Amino acid sequence: MTDSVDLVMLPARGGPSLPQERRLVTEIPGPQSVALFARRNEAVARGVSTMLPVFITAAGGGVLVDVDGNSLIDFGAGIAVVSVGNAAEQVVAEVIDQVAAFTHTCFMITPYEGYVAVCEQLNARTPGDFPKKSALFNSGAEAVENAVKIARAFTGRSAVVVFEHAYHGRTNLTMALTAKNMPYKHSFGPFAPEVYRLPMAYPYRWPTGPENCGPEAAAAAISAMKTQVGVDEIAAVLIEPIQGEGGFIVPGEGFLPALSQFCTENGIVFIADEIQTGFARTGEMFAVSHENVVPDLIATAKGIAGGLPLSAVTGRADIMDAAHVGGLGGTYGGNPVACAAALGAMHTIDELDLVGRARDIEAIMAPRLRELAGRFACVGDVRGRGAMLAVEIVKPGTTDPDAATTSAIAKACHAAGVVVLTAGTYGNVLRFLPPLVIPDHLLREGLDVLEEAFAASTKAS
Ligand SMILES: *Cc1c(COP(=O)(O)O)cnc(C)c1O
């Protein structure tokens, strides 16, 4: 035994040096995971769910390694969080330095440079050629809530416009902003007032066809804002540039630009919730850039800090400064260790060109998913951008959602060692959001497994 341990010198237990392979040595879940899951059920509240009861001991690159020694291909990245990879080298190094220096002072008491540096990075990286400021928080929901607070303070108005299929979080205000009742809202009301939900530009389900979706949905939304909500009442329009939990819905072309323009013309703060789409995920640093939309405020979290809890609101300096001194904050917001991780993650995004890598992933995955659509009649739609791709599963010959088949396919993937997630208001979307550092051979192998899962769970057309 040594009395002083230099953490940096310990052999890496996770991170990019883990063998990049799918390796199953037990059933999934294995006996150790089963035992831990029994403990979990005794100790952890029922409301906190688990998709795949496999307990992880190490992760990195494109794999998750479990307590039984299985190595699973990761197509989920902890819900688009570890885009730079789990235990990414630069994130680990920055965190170790910071955690050994100090762990917390509270930025509202005595500040530190890391917080300022993260804000500078956000101000520089987000779209918009105007002076910007940022504020840091802990979770995505908290960022969304604060964006709404800031928009209300700036406009002196109270209404917030959101959309069908939207997901913005689980706190009281963000439950109100979220569309789906079960499991997010059921039995948890009453909800915050002054939230107005408008139809979403959902191309696959647009009555007059996907090509008409963007302009028609924008016209409908603008008409509803004028006639039902009242333009002068609206503080903010809040939207995910690609809806995440709602089913990876890419709004019909033109929808986002039209909403953004309407907001600009009417003194409404346009807030992009880029919590799932941000930081290289979609093949742009931020997904609004696919349609050259420049939001007034952007909420970020998930991919921001390589797995540490951090979130932010960034936007026009005059709007950001509308909240009075002391009106924004929180004990842990912009924690120094999380800020160090964010700086490491941003460095990694640049160094490994993960924006370009997200496009490469799309180039590998999207054609394979479209092949599936040709072979299996249950595939209603293939969509997404970059490394944020999905297939929507329906009853063959209809557009009726088929959640049971979706779940069967996901379970077959899990049993074969590939972590895929589901999503969607109707629970009928398989979504793929691998770490951007996943090697090509694992992407291909995961897609092979997916194809076998389709074959086993459905009838080929
Ligand atoms: C995950 C998510 C949130 C909520 O983030 P939390 O960190 O879970 O609070 C909000 N909006 C979007 C688009 C998300 O994907």
Side-chain angles (χ1 to χ4, degrees):
M1 287 293 287
T2 55
D3 14 326
S4 89
V5 178
D6 185 352
L7 283 174
V8 187
M9 298 307 289
L10 283 177
R13 298 182 51 198
S17 60
L18 271 184
Q20 295 297 298
E21 61 180 5
R22 179 172 64 111
R23 185 184 67 233
L24 297 187
V25 297
T26 70
E27 289 191 353
I28 301 292
Q32 306 280 353
S33 279
V34 169
L36 278 166
F37 198 67
R39 260 175 70 195
R40 172 225 193 274
N41 284 342
E42 287 302 309
V44 180
R46 189 174 69 123
V48 183
S49 67
T50 293
M51 182 192 75
L52 175 56
V54 155
F55 282 73
I56 302 305
T57 53
V63 300
L64 298 159
V65 176
D66 76 7
V67 283
D68 292 287
N70 300 296
S71 176
L72 314 180
I73 297 177
D74 183 9
F75 275 7
I79 322 186
V81 169
V82 285
S83 295
V84 296
N86 233 305
E89 237 165 353
Q90 192 76 21
V91 171
V92 172
E94 302 272 353
V95 164
I96 287 174
D97 282 352
Q98 180 59 51
V99 83
F102 63 96
T103 48
H104 174 83
T105 62
C106 187
F107 191 76
M108 301 180 304
I109 308 292
T110 48
Y112 37 88
E113 186 182 353
Y115 188 116
V116 179
V118 169
C119 291
E120 287 168 348
Q121 287 291 327
L122 289 165
N123 299 344
R125 285 168 188 266
T126 46
D129 200 7
F130 39 73
K132 280 179 238 152
K133 287 194 171 181
S134 292
L136 304 183
F137 307 96
N138 304 291
S139 68
E142 229 187 315
V144 170
E145 290 230 4
N146 279 282
V148 170
K149 281 162 71 170
I150 293 164
R152 284 176 170 162
F154 178 72
T155 57
R157 307 170 178 175
S158 54
V160 182
V161 167
V162 291
F163 295 87
E164 291 171 344
H165 311 289
Y167 181 82
H168 297 294
R170 294 174 180 266
T171 57
N172 186 264
L173 175 58
T174 58
M175 277 194 292
L177 301 168
T178 290
K180 192 175 177 176
N181 175 257
M182 199 63 171
Y184 307 123
K185 303 165 76 163
H186 171 71
S187 80
F188 297 148
F191 303 112
E194 287 306 310
V195 173
Y196 298 85
R197 190 170 312 285
L198 302 186
M200 176 62 188
Y202 188 167
Y204 175 62
R205 296 187 178 279
W206 196 255
T208 59
E211 61 288 353
N212 300 317
C213 175
E216 287 183 13
I222 288 167
S223 167
M225 282 191 265
K226 287 179 177 164
T227 59
Q228 296 176 39
V229 193
V231 169
D232 295 340
E233 322 287 342
I234 306 175
V237 169
L238 168 67
I239 190 165
E240 300 152 88
I242 299 176
Q243 288 182 319
E245 306 307 300
F248 282 24
I249 300 165
V250 183
E253 200 181 328
F255 186 64
L256 294 175
L259 288 181
S260 160
Q261 193 189 338
F262 180 77
C263 287
T264 303
E265 289 165 1
N266 292 282
I268 299 166
V269 178
F270 185 76
I271 307 172
D273 178 347
E274 289 255 13
I275 288 164
Q276 195 154 157
T277 49
F279 295 101
R281 173 61 44 191
T282 68
E284 291 278 359
M285 192 61 78
F286 294 98
V288 286
S289 298
H290 290 287
E291 287 197 89
N292 296 314
V293 168
V294 178
D296 299 309
L297 300 181
I298 299 187
T300 53
K302 293 197 166 92
I304 193 174
L308 273 84
L310 185 72
S311 69
V313 182
T314 300
R316 290 183 183 275
D318 55 336
I319 300 178
M320 289 299 297
D321 280 341
H324 53 276
V325 174
L328 306 176
T331 307
Y332 293 112
N335 167 273
V337 181
C339 285
L343 295 171
M346 290 182 206
H347 178 86
T348 305
I349 288 172
D350 296 342
E351 190 178 55
L352 303 181
D353 181 24
L354 294 184
V355 172
R357 179 63 191 153
R359 292 175 182 229
D360 296 345
I361 290 173
E362 178 175 4
I364 292 170
M365 292 193 85
R368 290 283 303 272
L369 298 177
R370 283 194 286 269
E371 261 174 57
L372 284 180
R375 272 186 61 199
F376 296 96
C378 65
V379 177
D381 194 22
V382 176
R383 58 179 179 249
R385 295 189 200 273
M388 184 171 182
L389 299 171
V391 294
E392 177 158 356
I393 307 297
V394 293
K395 305 224 163 82
T398 74
T399 58
D400 298 346
D402 188 347
T405 299
T406 309
S407 157
I409 296 167
K411 288 206 167 81
C413 288
H414 299 166
V418 178
V419 179
V420 300
L421 315 185
T422 58
T425 301
Y426 316 112
N428 69 323
V429 175
L430 290 164
R431 57 170 157 169
F432 311 104
L433 51 176
L436 302 177
V437 294
I438 190 172
D440 286 358
H441 76 272
L442 284 186
L443 271 182
R444 296 209 166 86
E445 190 175 337
L447 288 162
D448 293 343
V449 167
L450 178 70
E451 200 174 312
E452 286 159 22
F454 265 87
S457 314
T458 69
K459 289 193 186 68
S461 52

